[in-house]
Structures are given as C-alpha cells and as structure tokens.
Amino acid sequence: MAAYVIVEIKINDTEKYEEYKKLTPASIAAYDGKFIVRGGATETLEGDWQPGRVVVLEFPDAGSARQWWNSSEYAIAKTIRQSAADTKMILVEGVNFL
C-alpha cells in the first residue's frame, strides 16, 4: 500500500536549501519514491494554517519511506535541510481500495 511523506518547511537559509534540493531527488528515487507536490502555491481552505513550502512524496509502502529517511543516501541532504529550515514531517499510509 502506498505511503506518503508530507512536509511543511519554513526556509531560513535559501542558499543552503537550494543545495538540499539538488541532493534529494536521487535519494528518493533510490527507494522508489517520487515527488507528488514540490513547493507549489498553496491556498488555505479552512482554518488558519499558512504553510511555507509544502512537499508530498509517494513511496510504494511505509517501509520504503522509512528506509529512505534513515538512509545513507539521504543523510547529507537531511543534515543540510535541518540546518537550513524548520521542518514538520509526517508519514501517512495510503488507502487500499481493493
């Protein structure tokens, strides 16, 4: 069952964050993940949530998402992101309709 990593990011250092953006796609692809949303425009429909940058990743399953997040392929990029931005990140399992 597909799983999604949903991220809200407030960028504090745009130069460092650009470096992060260059390193991340290959690490995601190594775990069969893909970008569904990558920083597009947002519109608040309810509540007072005013997110900065929003990213949604799709992985084949939650295990693949966890392996990516803990991987050596992502480690350097993750360290850069953590120093360049304030991040909220969750893992959500999808729904199997079959």
Side-chain angles (χ1 to χ4, degrees):
M1 169 182 340
Y4 302 88
V5 175
I6 302 171
V7 189
E8 178 187 358
I9 304 159
K10 179 184 174 225
I11 300 168
N12 300 317
D13 185 329
T14 54
E15 188 174 309
K16 275 188 183 179
Y17 196 80
E18 287 300 315
E19 185 179 345
Y20 166 77
K21 285 171 40 179
K22 292 175 189 173
L23 294 173
T24 304
S27 72
I28 292 168
Y31 292 86
D32 296 322
K34 63 182 178 179
F35 286 97
I36 302 298
V37 173
R38 192 175 187 193
T42 63
E43 176 184 349
T44 300
L45 299 177
E46 289 190 32
D48 60 1
W49 187 21
Q50 299 296 322
R53 181 178 176 82
V54 175
V55 175
V56 179
L57 308 173
E58 180 181 56
F59 289 90
D61 52 56
S64 296
R66 285 186 200 97
Q67 287 176 335
W68 162 74
W69 193 83
N70 288 303
S71 71
S72 60
E73 293 91 344
Y74 184 53
I76 292 171
K78 183 180 2 179
T79 299
I80 293 168
R81 176 186 47 78
Q82 290 172 337
S83 70
D86 298 320
T87 306
K88 296 176 184 174
M89 184 181 299
I90 61 171
L91 173 61
V92 180
E93 291 189 18
V95 176
N96 186 352
F97 292 103
L98 300 177

